[in-house]
Amino acid sequence: MGKLDWSKTKTIFIIVFSILNVFLYSLYLDRYTEYEKVEVLGNDSSSVEEKLKEDNISYGNLPESVEPEPYINAQMNEFESSEIPAGNQQGRIIGENLLRVDFRQPMPLGAEANGKTLTAFVEENIDQGEAYVFWEMNQAENKAVFFQKVNGKTLYYSDNGRLTLFWNDEGEVTGFEQTIYENVELGEQPKELIPPIQAIYTLYTRGVLPANSTIDSTEIGYSVYVQVSENARMFLPTWRISATLADGTKEEYFINAVNNGIVELEAEEAVK
């Protein structure tokens, strides 16, 4: 009787697992078919445009051609005591990678704080200041954030490639915090990049970009891809897509420009 019960149990298990396998395989085929449809539509620009138009997603003029870009390897700079500025600058190293500098005598900007005046100050008064690009400013807290450039393009939201500038209510710069990547090496084989309209369509098909949105700008830059070693990172060509939603909310999205996947970045306010 026990043998008979076990035989029935085995039969039931076999049936259940067979049904499960069929279900999983059908699910896989559905996902694969959906992916194939996205790919096919992605290769047909007219179909993509029609789909976006149906949901009232506008994007204006997009770059007509996109040059291949390489992956990039770089190391986080570990500041040494010899790199601490002297004279009017009093500095200290925090955790090897962060340099904090305070000006003994605050330095005047010479004009109202804005992207142009702050960029000029950084390039003229901070070591390797030309390696950064202005990102955003918090006027209420007298702070501005600059992101490092790699291969001439912005490295988005990397704590180890950032400069934060501070000033007082009199328009005088009081100090800064700096991290920077060094030994930047370009990959030997540049990668073909997806066109910006494909990146927009990917956001749309994944349900990230809602209907009635307006694309304000598309820009190619880089984001941290993988940690190569304790102090080394690999950067990935990345589309940054800025959009205005139907309710007026401003959003920014990031897409892997090589493999067409959504990149999750800590893209909340850079100025804290």
Side-chain angles (χ1 to χ4, degrees), residues 2-18:
K3 290 183 179 180
L4 182 60
D5 290 342
W6 172 237
S7 178
K8 289 182 178 179
T9 302
K10 285 197 299 183
T11 302
I12 294 172
F13 271 118
I14 291 171
I15 293 173
V16 169
F17 279 116
S18 297

Side-chain angles (χ1 to χ4, degrees), residues 128-249:
Q128 302 187 77
E130 70 284 351
Y132 300 89
V133 61
F134 174 80
W135 188 252
E136 65 179 351
M137 177 173 65
N138 186 325
Q139 190 72 60
E141 297 186 16
N142 295 342
K143 298 179 183 179
V145 164
F146 292 74
F147 287 164
Q148 187 176 350
K149 294 178 291 186
V150 292
N151 194 28
K153 296 174 177 59
T154 306
L155 175 60
Y156 303 123
Y157 294 99
S158 172
D159 289 339
N160 294 296
R162 180 181 300 195
L163 185 145
T164 305
L165 199 68
F166 307 92
W167 62 92
N168 58 28
D169 292 336
E170 286 70 46
E172 302 170 320
V173 177
T174 58
F176 62 90
E177 291 182 349
Q178 180 182 20
T179 58
I180 191 168
Y181 284 98
E182 61 178 0
N183 300 327
V184 176
E185 297 181 354
L186 307 186
E188 295 182 0
Q189 185 62 46
K191 303 295 182 181
E192 294 292 334
L193 306 185
I194 63 169
I197 193 168
Q198 177 65 74
I200 295 169
Y201 188 67
T202 296
L203 293 171
Y204 165 76
T205 57
R206 304 286 174 82
V208 177
L209 182 67
N212 305 308
S213 296
T214 300
I215 304 301
D216 301 316
S217 65
T218 57
E219 176 189 17
I220 195 69
Y222 281 88
S223 63
V224 175
Y225 184 40
V226 293
Q227 179 175 328
V228 179
S229 66
E230 185 177 355
N231 287 322
R233 301 290 184 271
M234 178 182 286
F235 307 143
L236 166 80
T238 303
W239 280 111
R240 173 184 178 245
I241 299 174
S242 300
T244 301
L245 308 189
D247 62 0
T249 302

Side-chain angles (χ1 to χ4, degrees), residues 3 20-21 30 39 41 49-50 58 73 75 114 116 152 180 188 197 200 218 224 237 251 263 269:
K3 290 183 179 180
L20 180 60
N21 285 337
D30 290 342
E39 289 298 306
L41 286 173
E49 292 168 1
E50 290 171 4
S58 58
N73 289 305
Q75 291 181 318
N114 55 46
K116 185 176 181 179
I180 191 168
E188 295 182 0
I197 193 168
I200 295 169
T218 57
V224 175
E251 295 288 349
V263 178
E269 267 196 323

